[in-house]
Short mmCIF file of all heavy atoms in Angstrom, two decimals:
data_model
loop_
_atom_site.label_atom_id
_atom_site.label_comp_id
_atom_site.label_asym_id
_atom_site.label_seq_id
_atom_site.Cartn_x
_atom_site.Cartn_y
_atom_site.Cartn_z
N VAL A 224 51.42 -29.62 -36.93
CA VAL A 224 51.38 -30.53 -38.08
C VAL A 224 52.62 -30.24 -38.92
O VAL A 224 52.76 -29.16 -39.48
CB VAL A 224 50.11 -30.32 -38.93
CG1 VAL A 224 50.13 -31.23 -40.16
CG2 VAL A 224 48.86 -30.57 -38.10
N VAL A 225 53.52 -31.21 -38.99
CA VAL A 225 54.79 -31.04 -39.69
C VAL A 225 54.82 -32.01 -40.87
O VAL A 225 54.75 -33.23 -40.68
CB VAL A 225 55.98 -31.29 -38.75
CG1 VAL A 225 57.30 -31.18 -39.51
CG2 VAL A 225 55.95 -30.31 -37.58
N THR A 226 54.90 -31.49 -42.08
CA THR A 226 54.85 -32.31 -43.29
C THR A 226 56.24 -32.43 -43.91
O THR A 226 56.89 -31.44 -44.19
CB THR A 226 53.87 -31.71 -44.31
OG1 THR A 226 52.57 -31.61 -43.70
CG2 THR A 226 53.77 -32.59 -45.55
N ARG A 227 56.64 -33.68 -44.14
CA ARG A 227 57.96 -33.99 -44.67
C ARG A 227 57.85 -34.63 -46.05
O ARG A 227 57.07 -35.58 -46.25
CB ARG A 227 58.69 -34.96 -43.73
CG ARG A 227 60.09 -35.37 -44.18
CD ARG A 227 60.64 -36.48 -43.29
NE ARG A 227 60.72 -36.04 -41.90
CZ ARG A 227 61.78 -35.44 -41.36
NH1 ARG A 227 62.85 -35.22 -42.12
NH2 ARG A 227 61.78 -35.08 -40.10
N MET A 228 58.61 -34.13 -47.03
CA MET A 228 58.69 -34.76 -48.34
C MET A 228 59.50 -36.04 -48.23
O MET A 228 60.58 -36.05 -47.63
CB MET A 228 59.32 -33.81 -49.35
CG MET A 228 59.44 -34.39 -50.75
SD MET A 228 60.33 -33.27 -51.90
CE MET A 228 59.11 -31.96 -52.08
N THR A 229 58.99 -37.12 -48.81
CA THR A 229 59.70 -38.40 -48.82
C THR A 229 59.75 -38.92 -50.25
O THR A 229 59.11 -38.38 -51.15
CB THR A 229 58.97 -39.43 -47.94
OG1 THR A 229 57.70 -39.75 -48.53
CG2 THR A 229 58.75 -38.90 -46.52
N ALA A 230 60.49 -40.00 -50.46
CA ALA A 230 60.57 -40.60 -51.79
C ALA A 230 59.22 -41.15 -52.24
O ALA A 230 58.95 -41.25 -53.44
CB ALA A 230 61.62 -41.71 -51.80
N GLN A 231 58.37 -41.51 -51.28
CA GLN A 231 57.06 -42.06 -51.61
C GLN A 231 55.97 -41.00 -51.75
O GLN A 231 54.86 -41.28 -52.19
CB GLN A 231 56.62 -43.08 -50.53
CG GLN A 231 57.50 -44.31 -50.43
CD GLN A 231 58.83 -44.03 -49.78
OE1 GLN A 231 58.92 -43.22 -48.84
NE2 GLN A 231 59.89 -44.67 -50.26
N GLY A 232 56.26 -39.77 -51.35
CA GLY A 232 55.26 -38.70 -51.39
C GLY A 232 55.49 -37.74 -50.24
O GLY A 232 56.46 -36.99 -50.22
N TYR A 233 54.60 -37.83 -49.23
CA TYR A 233 54.73 -36.97 -48.05
C TYR A 233 54.29 -37.71 -46.80
O TYR A 233 53.35 -38.51 -46.84
CB TYR A 233 53.89 -35.70 -48.20
CG TYR A 233 54.39 -34.76 -49.26
CD1 TYR A 233 53.96 -34.88 -50.58
CD2 TYR A 233 55.30 -33.75 -48.96
CE1 TYR A 233 54.43 -34.03 -51.56
CE2 TYR A 233 55.77 -32.89 -49.94
CZ TYR A 233 55.33 -33.03 -51.24
OH TYR A 233 55.81 -32.20 -52.21
N GLU A 234 54.96 -37.41 -45.70
CA GLU A 234 54.57 -37.91 -44.39
C GLU A 234 54.09 -36.72 -43.57
O GLU A 234 54.83 -35.75 -43.37
CB GLU A 234 55.75 -38.59 -43.70
CG GLU A 234 55.41 -39.18 -42.35
CD GLU A 234 56.61 -39.87 -41.74
OE1 GLU A 234 56.82 -41.08 -42.01
OE2 GLU A 234 57.35 -39.19 -41.00
N VAL A 235 52.85 -36.79 -43.11
CA VAL A 235 52.23 -35.70 -42.37
C VAL A 235 52.20 -36.10 -40.90
O VAL A 235 51.43 -36.98 -40.50
CB VAL A 235 50.81 -35.40 -42.88
CG1 VAL A 235 50.22 -34.20 -42.16
CG2 VAL A 235 50.83 -35.18 -44.39
N GLN A 236 53.05 -35.50 -40.10
CA GLN A 236 53.18 -35.89 -38.70
C GLN A 236 52.33 -34.98 -37.81
O GLN A 236 52.50 -33.77 -37.80
CB GLN A 236 54.65 -35.83 -38.26
CG GLN A 236 54.86 -36.34 -36.83
CD GLN A 236 56.31 -36.33 -36.41
OE1 GLN A 236 57.13 -35.62 -37.00
NE2 GLN A 236 56.66 -37.12 -35.41
N ILE A 237 51.43 -35.63 -37.07
CA ILE A 237 50.62 -34.91 -36.08
C ILE A 237 51.32 -35.05 -34.74
O ILE A 237 51.54 -36.16 -34.25
CB ILE A 237 49.20 -35.50 -36.00
CG1 ILE A 237 48.58 -35.67 -37.39
CG2 ILE A 237 48.33 -34.64 -35.10
CD1 ILE A 237 48.41 -34.41 -38.17
N LEU A 238 51.68 -33.94 -34.14
CA LEU A 238 52.37 -33.95 -32.85
C LEU A 238 51.37 -33.71 -31.72
O LEU A 238 50.28 -33.15 -31.95
CB LEU A 238 53.46 -32.89 -32.84
CG LEU A 238 54.58 -33.10 -33.87
CD1 LEU A 238 55.50 -31.89 -33.92
CD2 LEU A 238 55.37 -34.35 -33.54
#
Side-chain angles (χ1 to χ4, degrees):
V224 177
V225 177
T226 302
R227 180 188 300 271
M228 180 185 290
T229 67
Q231 296 74 36
Y233 292 88
E234 182 179 272
V235 184
Q236 185 178 21
I237 311 299
L238 297 172

